[in-house]
Amino acid sequence: MRQVYTVLDKIKEILRANGITKTVTFGDITQVDLNKTSIFPLAHVIFGNVTFQDRIMSASIRILCLDVVDVTKEKQDEDMMFGNNNLQDILNTQLQVINDIQQEMRRGSAFSDNFQITTNVVAEPFLDNFENQLAGWGMTVNIEVPNNELSLC
């Protein structure tokens, strides 16, 4: 059975092709060395529950897309909307990463390869959830893949 590898490889392929994400990681987010600034922007994949149906497996996958917030040392008092950091830039680019992957699984080659999102996608922003001021977006999707590796012979 290779479904876990197949799903992870497809997600990694899509994330690396976007031109934004530098690193794709998997597993427990607390095990990733988030203090290394050279690995950002980063996408992290977490497997959830898998539901078996007739010839279909539906996997719940959580994808976090994040980057390091850089704070400007020179305070800018004129524009309080955009502040003194790159937070809006991060939210903008990482939302694009989320949009790219969900679009790819709805209409692109991933859909053609039978990696199909079966639910609406809700992107959730997060700010300062980690020790080095990371920000970005997360989404949880259900992805259906064929369950055809078992022979009844």
Side-chain angles (χ1 to χ4, degrees):
M1 179 176 271
R2 294 194 30 85
Q3 278 88 349
V4 170
Y5 294 109
T6 305
V7 169
L8 289 176
D9 285 345
K10 180 55 79 174
I11 291 171
K12 181 174 70 172
E13 174 187 315
I14 295 167
L15 287 166
R16 287 203 172 153
N18 66 30
I20 297 170
T21 305
K22 287 186 181 176
T23 307
V24 179
T25 58
F26 168 76
D28 184 354
I29 190 72
T30 62
Q31 299 301 311
V32 178
D33 185 4
L34 298 176
N35 289 322
K36 288 185 176 180
T37 57
S38 61
I39 64 174
F40 291 98
L42 176 136
H44 186 75
V45 181
I46 305 163
F47 251 94
N49 295 333
V50 175
T51 303
F52 294 95
Q53 303 167 29
D54 189 30
R55 298 186 184 104
I56 300 282
M57 290 173 53
S58 179
S60 174
I61 310 272
R62 177 102 173 122
I63 301 173
L64 303 174
C65 300
L66 47 126
D67 203 349
V68 177
V69 177
D70 290 325
V71 177
T72 304
K73 293 186 182 3
E74 298 174 17
K75 293 291 180 189
Q76 311 242 343
D77 295 327
E78 299 124 28
D79 193 349
M80 297 308 287
M81 175 68 179
F82 294 106
N84 297 306
N85 58 40
N86 65 339
L87 179 60
Q88 291 83 6
D89 294 333
I90 290 171
L91 292 175
N92 184 61
T93 56
Q94 297 310 306
L95 185 60
Q96 182 61 46
V97 172
I98 293 285
N99 188 32
D100 287 349
I101 193 165
Q102 68 93 22
Q103 288 290 331
E104 180 66 24
M105 290 190 180
R106 288 187 193 280
R107 297 182 186 90
S109 65
F111 182 84
S112 301
D113 292 340
N114 293 318
F115 292 84
Q116 300 171 0
I117 292 178
T118 60
T119 58
N120 289 330
V121 175
V122 175
E124 305 162 24
F126 60 88
L127 311 166
D128 300 332
N129 286 1
F130 301 99
E131 65 270 5
N132 57 347
Q133 286 196 316
L134 298 181
W137 295 87
M139 73 171 180
T140 302
V141 294
N142 288 340
I143 300 172
E144 284 189 354
V145 295
N147 186 12
N148 55 7
E149 293 189 11
L150 181 63
S151 173
L152 296 177
C153 302

